[in-house]
């Protein structure tokens, strides 16, 4: 059974950093493209970043240069380092399984709130 469990969200001020983690099980993590999605209140689900099984990474324009996606295949864990957070980054963040991130299995999410 595929499981993805996100953690690391929280309430932070603008300019702060957070690191999200996604612990996975039930599938050969190293063989899968993985990614992050987010959904802000009242908005559609938004793609944030993808990390391929060979280590290539891509980012949405809104987060490029501030967020870094990474993975630890030995721990079957995906990460998202988020720096210089902005209020518009406020959303529920989901870890998702590829190859198509937007339609793959997804975790329950972790809330990130950026506010003064």
């Amino acid at each position: 059974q595929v499981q993805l469990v996100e953690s690391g969200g929280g309430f932070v001020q603008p300019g702060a950093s957070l690191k999200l983690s996604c612990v996975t099980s039930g599938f050969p993590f190293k063989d899968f493209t993985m990614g992050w999605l987010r959904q802000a209140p009242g908005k559609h689900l938004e793609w944030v970043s993808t990390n391929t099984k060979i280590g290539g990474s891509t980012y949405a324009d809104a987060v490029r240069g501030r967020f870094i996606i990474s993975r630890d295949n030995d721990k079957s864990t995906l990460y998202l380092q988020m720096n210089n957070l902005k209020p518009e980054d406020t959303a529920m963040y989901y870890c998702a399984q590829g190859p198509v991130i937007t339609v793959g299995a997804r975790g329950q999410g972790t809330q990130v709130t950026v506010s003064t």
Side-chain angles (χ1 to χ4, degrees):
Q1 180 181 358
V2 173
Q3 288 192 322
L4 303 94
V5 180
E6 303 94 334
S7 63
F11 186 105
V12 296
Q13 293 188 336
S17 297
L18 281 174
K19 187 172 184 177
L20 307 184
S21 299
C22 172
V23 178
T24 74
S25 61
F27 65 100
F29 179 82
K30 66 178 178 61
D31 293 334
F32 278 75
T33 289
M34 298 292 298
W36 292 94
L37 306 167
R38 68 184 182 184
Q39 187 166 24
K43 295 190 175 181
H44 294 297
L45 193 65
E46 176 187 20
W47 169 73
V48 175
S49 182
T50 297
N51 181 261
T52 69
K53 61 182 180 180
I54 59 172
S57 300
T58 52
Y59 299 92
D61 288 344
V63 306
R64 188 177 298 113
R66 299 187 297 121
F67 290 12
I68 302 171
I69 191 171
S70 63
R71 64 197 297 157
D72 185 331
N73 288 334
D74 291 336
K75 296 181 179 180
S76 298
T77 300
L78 185 71
Y79 302 100
L80 186 68
Q81 176 68 46
M82 306 187 296
N83 300 318
N84 190 21
L85 283 161
K86 303 177 180 181
E88 52 264 43
D89 295 318
T90 295
M92 185 71 79
Y93 283 72
Y94 300 92
C95 170
Q97 181 192 46
V100 182
I101 299 302
T102 51
V103 298
R106 196 180 303 162
Q108 84 290 346
T110 186
Q111 178 68 38
V112 172
T113 303
V114 185
S115 176
T116 56

